[in-house]
Structure formats: structure tokens, C-alpha cells
Amino acid sequence: MAELEQRIAQGRGDEVADLVLRGGRVFDLITGALLEGDVAICGDTIVGVFDQYEAREVIDVSGLILVPGFIDTHLHIESSLVTPFEFDRCVTPRGVTTAICDPHEIANVIGAPGVRYFQQASQHTLIDIKVQLSSCVPSTHMETAGADLDADALAGLMGHDAGLGLAEFMNFPGVIHRDPGCMDKLRLFEGGHVDGHCPLLSGKDLNAYVAAGIRTEHEATNPEEALEKLRKGMRVLIREGSVSKDLHALQPLLTERTAPYMCLCTDDRNPLDIGEYGHLDYMIRELIRLGCPPLAVYRAATLSAAEAFGLKDRGMIAPGKRADIVAVGTLEDCDAQLVLAGGVVVNDTAFAKRQTVPPVGRASVKAPKVSAQDFRARGNRVDTDVIGIREGQILTDHLHEDIPITDGDKLPDLSRDLVRIAVVERHGKNGNIATGFVRGFGLQAGAIASTVCHDHHNIACVGVDYADMAVAANRLGQIEGGFVVVRDGQVLAELALPVAGLMSLDPFEAVRARLVDLRAAAKSLGVGLEEPFLQLAFLALPVIPALKITDRGMVDVNKFEIIG
């Protein structure tokens, strides 16, 4: 940050400013007015607005509207399938200048070194990455993760400049029933920021959860749920990811009255969706299109987000604030023409000047080689628990179907869209393989498999043909993790994710192109889901109701227990 005296002198006009944006209008987030005048910048800080300034450098923004840089209040950068540096290149030109991330995907694979990788990367990106410390590694006792971060391990990661607090506390039963391990983590961060994660929680259970000091919530999927959480003091983050799409459901709740207490987040969004639709810029456009007042939407994307997380240095175009500025053609289009991140003009030259950090988590896929026989569904009950997919949500239905037993196996039934799902432990700890049934893929042949499998990130595989499932699972070990589509023993498409089985080392443009091929390959098998790979990944997350599967078996999330 520039010296105090220098900032004051440039703000007063006693010294020429380092940079001036001239000719545009500033969107005032207090009144909603569009105000004329220069924006003067000293180093990384705004020092003057609504006046005339001289500067060493002037950028003409005539005809454009200046808004604060956008703040994604909750996301997992790993879900973008690229490194933090490629994520930076992907979203910062769209106006996202702050990303509040939870690195619990990589933490569940390699533990503290994964968190430190994100902390180190945050020191070199143009986007300001805030690294929350992951609260639930593993997320529950009902899965095998690659690491375990207890309170002592988290204490060793505290104090980094990128830190804000404790990331989403997914084990809400552990909170409300006062699990000792959960209590140790909450005490460690008591008085600081703690992110929430409590889908469908209400009544006294929600009261208890909020009483623990948990301040935000991104899992609300309907207005009634969100309103109760708002009324109980939580900041509600409207989420629109690649799978979890809650924007349309929560949009009616976002008004100028509620905007100070609502924010925007993406949670999990991949480069293909970012390329086709956008990131926070898409959310802003869509909310305005649906009828939300632009003032409410831009507040939620900037000022309200900053205040919810105690970031007093950003969220407005005002003196003393960080120079995170987006120049758009219109508020409705949210079409970034120029982006400044900490006073730096975001362009190829700025990206090229960054230092990078060597990747971590290589060779993390240590699953045993599997065969077709490993995917048989052994059981002695015709009545069968079936995961029911809700497209666009990570909530699932707990269905029951009668599936006959044939030669000691329950076979997929394509006429009823009942196909095999399996999770294979891949961290080299126990070699567990669990199988079950899922409805909603529309799969007619072959198999798809992934090491992106929330949050333990074992191998998740769904298929019609057991031999194809084995080929897919084994291929993931050969490419260090990623996505694979197989039919008749042949790999139709794949994307290698060698960084902890979660992130590619390629540019985001190359990842986006391979995702196009993967979607097409999945569609050729009959899959009707828009985003089949992340939808598959969330079927293994045992903290989201109602029925999920881990390497230890089918999980009744409402009872928080493995089904015998």
C-alpha cells in the first residue's frame, strides 16, 4: 500500500495521482445515482472521486459506468478444474477481483500442504484470494479421505495474510449435538468469521447452529429457508454454480431492503459454464433480467459482500478503498470493458508478470486395480435404496425400488433408469468399494468416472456395464485423476487432473475444450444432465440430504448414518 502521506497528498490534489480514470460515471451504491468526475488512484488505493485530478497516467473511460470489483463470497477454486493462476486468468477479466475460497477439496486429498499451496498462490495472483481454513476434513466420519485436519492442525495454518476465518462448517449435526472435535474448532475461531453450511436446517436446530457464532449460509435453496436464516442473523449467499443453481429460487428475496444482508457466490463452477454463461457477471445480468433492482444486485456483489466478511477496505468506489474497479457498458449487461485489481490494469501483460508456485498433490490416485466383478451389488433384499437426482441441485431424493436378485447381484434396469453407482477409495488407505443405484442420468451404455468426488475425492463411477466401469476407474489411476467416459472398453473422452486429482496443469481454454468433448461423449451414452460430472461428484457428499454414497456405503443423510 502507498505511504499514508502520499495517499493524503494525492487525494487532496497536492501531488499528482498515480492513475486517473476519466470520463466515466461512478455507480453510487448508497443512493443508486450515476455520478460524474475523475477517479484518482494512488498505488493500490482509491484516493479521490467526483472531482478533477491530474495524474501520471490517465485512462479514458468515457461512456462507461464504473462499479466496484465483484466479490465471490464462497467458492472452491479446485472446482474450476484449473490452478489458482489459471482461475485468475479465467475470471478476473470478468470483473471478479476478490475470491473467498475454501480449499477443502485439495485439503481432503493431501491435507495442510494443499492449504499452504493456496496461501502461497494468493500472494501472486491479480485477483485477491482470501483463503478460509477448511473446517471439515473429512466432512464426516462416514467416508475415507486422504487427510484429517483437526483443531491443532488448523491452528498451525492460522495467521496467514490471506486468512479470514473458518470455512463452511458442513458437519451441522456435529455442531448442534456438541461433538468435541467440532467444539474444538469453533473455540479456535470464536469471535472470528465462521462460514455456515446447513441445508434445510430450521427451528431450534438452526437457532443452535447460529448460536455457535456461524455467520453466513450458502445452502439455502428456497425463499422460505433463506428468509428464516436472514431473520436469525445469517448473511445469505445466493449461489449459482455448475450444479447447484439457486439463483432463480432466491431472486425474489433480493430487494434494496434485503441487499445489505445478501451476497453472491458460485461455490463450484467450471470453465465451460464460465465460458458459456459467465461467472458473477452472469449472476448480475440474470438477477437484473429477472427484475431485481440494479442497486440491490450490485450491492450484493460488492459492498454487502465486503461487509459480511469484514473487508472494510473494499466494496465501494470511494477514497481509502482498494482500487478494485470494473468499467461496464451498462449495468444491465455487466460487460466488463476494463478491470483494475488493486490498482493494476488486468490484461495479458499483468498476467505474464506474475510469479507462480509449483503444483502439489501429484500421483495422488492410489486406488487398487479393479475388475468388473468389483461392481456387483451384493445384497439379500429386493427393496433397494436408490439415489434420486434433482438436476440443478445437490440435494437428492431417497427413493425405494424393488430390484430382483439375479445370481447374487442386482442388475441395472435401463427401463426404469436404475444404473450402478460406485465409490472406490483412492487414497491408498483401505481399498473400499461401495456400490448402489442411482436414477436420473439416463445412461444407456458404458460408464463415466471421476476423481472429483466431494469431499473425500475418491473415485466415483456410474455405469451400465461393469467392465466399462472397471476400465474407467483404472484409467483414472493412469492419468493421475480426472474425468473419463468409456464405452465398449474404449475411452471416448478424458480430462487429466494431475494436481491432487482435482486440477489440470493446462490453460483454462484447453480444459474448457476438453469439457466440451466430455459432455458430448456422455451425451452419446444417453446422459441427459447438462453437467453430469459435477452432478456425479456431489452424489458422494454425505452432508447434503437425503441419500448419498461414500466408499463405506449408502448414507442416509437425514439420519446421518450408513445404511446397513
Side-chain angles (χ1 to χ4, degrees):
M1 178 176 280
E3 291 292 335
L4 175 62
E5 290 84 356
Q6 188 179 23
R7 297 199 307 273
I8 296 171
Q10 290 191 19
R12 192 169 185 269
D14 294 340
E15 294 182 10
V16 296
D18 292 340
L19 174 66
V20 158
L21 303 183
R22 180 168 293 158
R25 294 178 295 166
V26 172
F27 187 36
D28 174 20
L29 292 182
I30 305 303
T31 67
L34 293 172
L35 303 175
E36 296 182 350
D38 293 345
V39 175
I41 297 167
C42 176
D44 61 358
T45 305
I46 299 167
V47 294
V49 293
F50 315 144
D51 216 314
Q52 294 181 336
Y53 284 90
E54 298 301 319
R56 296 180 180 89
E57 180 183 359
V58 175
I59 298 178
D60 185 1
V61 289
S62 296
L64 301 178
I65 298 172
L66 305 182
V67 298
F70 312 140
I71 302 173
D72 192 333
T73 51
H74 174 74
L75 80 161
H76 309 285
I77 289 176
E78 304 98 310
S79 293
S80 69
L81 309 177
V82 293
T83 67
F85 300 99
E86 283 302 302
F87 176 78
D88 188 18
R89 275 207 322 118
C90 187
V91 306
T92 310
R94 294 179 172 274
V96 185
T97 55
T98 302
I100 301 174
C101 85
D102 173 8
H104 77 203
E105 316 301 356
I106 196 169
N108 268 283
V109 179
I110 62 172
V115 179
R116 293 194 186 98
Y117 169 70
F118 272 84
Q119 290 175 334
Q120 293 166 8
S122 73
Q123 298 173 311
H124 303 293
T125 51
L126 300 188
I127 193 172
D128 189 17
I129 298 175
K130 298 299 184 184
V131 184
Q132 304 278 68
L133 296 186
S134 305
S135 67
C136 297
V137 178
S139 66
T140 73
H141 62 282
M142 298 178 290
E143 64 207 272
T144 302
D148 187 347
L149 294 183
D150 60 12
D152 288 340
L154 292 175
L157 293 166
M158 296 176 74
H160 193 273
D161 289 343
L164 283 182
L166 189 63
E168 53 179 327
F169 215 106
M170 297 184 293
N171 188 356
F172 59 85
V175 174
I176 62 181
H177 295 297
R178 285 85 75 192
D179 172 80
C182 293
M183 296 303 101
D184 288 343
K185 293 174 183 178
L186 289 171
R187 287 191 184 95
L188 185 64
F189 288 86
E190 198 162 15
H193 188 91
V194 181
D195 276 340
H197 179 289
C198 55
L200 304 181
L201 202 64
S202 64
K204 288 184 177 178
D205 283 347
L206 178 59
N207 289 343
Y209 186 76
V210 179
I214 297 171
R215 300 181 179 183
T216 59
E217 167 61 2
H218 63 273
E219 290 291 341
T221 55
N222 63 74
E224 295 75 23
E225 178 186 2
L227 188 58
E228 181 184 2
K229 289 171 176 175
L230 283 171
R231 286 170 169 164
K232 291 182 175 177
M234 303 188 93
R235 304 290 180 110
V236 168
L237 320 181
I238 299 176
R239 172 178 58 186
E240 188 74 2
S242 288
V243 172
S244 307
K245 300 178 183 292
D246 305 314
L247 181 150
H248 285 76
L250 300 186
Q251 172 268 326
L253 202 57
L254 180 60
T255 66
E256 290 184 11
R257 182 169 289 182
T258 61
Y261 310 100
M262 300 186 76
C263 314
L264 307 184
C265 77
T266 58
D267 204 355
D268 303 275
R269 197 163 180 86
N270 67 43
L272 183 52
D273 283 341
I274 295 169
E276 288 181 351
Y277 303 108
H279 199 260
L280 289 189
D281 56 317
Y282 163 74
M283 295 187 69
I284 291 168
R285 285 191 294 274
E286 187 67 2
L287 286 165
I288 294 174
R289 186 188 71 81
L290 292 170
C292 289
L295 179 57
V297 176
Y298 279 92
R299 274 181 178 168
T302 59
L303 180 59
S304 300
E307 293 185 342
F309 286 83
L311 297 172
K312 301 298 185 182
D313 65 339
R314 67 197 69 191
M316 288 184 67
I317 298 179
K321 300 294 186 183
R322 179 180 156 95
D324 292 339
I325 300 171
V326 185
V328 299
T330 69
L331 295 176
E332 293 76 14
D333 290 336
C334 193
D335 51 340
Q337 314 274 323
L338 173 75
V339 178
L340 271 67
V344 176
V345 176
V346 175
N347 55 28
D348 290 343
T349 300
F351 285 127
K353 289 180 179 179
R354 302 171 305 170
Q355 296 181 18
T356 58
V357 177
V360 295
R362 298 299 299 270
S364 67
V365 182
K366 304 168 186 175
K369 187 174 181 179
V370 296
S371 68
Q373 295 301 307
D374 292 316
F375 296 102
R376 289 167 59 90
R378 297 170 179 85
N380 57 10
R381 290 188 302 114
V382 171
D383 178 56
T384 304
D385 299 282
V386 176
I387 300 171
I389 290 175
R390 297 184 187 181
E391 186 168 9
Q393 294 188 20
I394 55 178
L395 294 168
T396 59
D397 295 315
H398 188 163
L399 308 177
H400 289 270
E401 291 286 342
D402 286 345
I403 302 177
I405 300 169
T406 306
D407 296 328
D409 187 20
K410 295 181 180 182
L411 299 174
D413 183 346
L414 303 190
S415 67
R416 291 188 285 168
D417 190 19
L418 297 174
V419 300
R420 177 73 77 251
I421 185 169
V423 175
V424 181
E425 189 274 321
R426 64 102 160 176
H427 303 293
K429 293 193 171 184
N430 53 40
N432 285 347
I433 301 176
T435 65
F437 283 88
V438 62
R439 169 179 283 160
F441 276 95
L443 201 66
Q444 296 296 308
I448 66 175
S450 168
T451 52
V452 178
C453 182
H454 297 288
D455 282 331
H456 43 81
H457 297 296
N458 290 303
I459 292 172
C461 187
V462 62
V464 171
D465 184 275
Y466 298 171
D468 284 345
M469 293 176 73
V471 170
N474 291 330
R475 180 60 181 162
L476 289 174
Q478 295 167 354
I479 64 174
E480 296 187 77
F483 301 140
V484 178
V485 179
V486 172
R487 181 171 187 168
D488 298 330
Q490 301 297 313
V491 175
L492 301 184
E494 67 183 23
L495 169 61
L497 301 175
V499 182
L502 300 171
M503 292 176 283
S504 172
L505 291 171
D506 292 334
F508 75 85
E509 296 94 340
V511 173
R512 188 165 65 201
R514 291 192 184 98
L515 286 173
V516 172
D517 293 339
L518 280 159
R519 281 191 184 178
K523 188 175 181 179
S524 75
L525 302 183
V527 174
L529 298 171
E530 182 181 6
E531 179 40 74
F533 302 98
L534 281 180
Q535 195 92 52
L536 171 61
F538 282 111
L539 299 183
L541 181 56
V543 294
I544 300 290
L547 182 65
K548 296 296 166 73
I549 183 172
T550 75
D551 65 297
R552 298 186 181 179
M554 300 287 278
V555 177
D556 185 328
V557 181
N558 293 327
K559 295 181 179 178
F560 218 60
E561 65 183 23
I562 296 172
I563 297 172

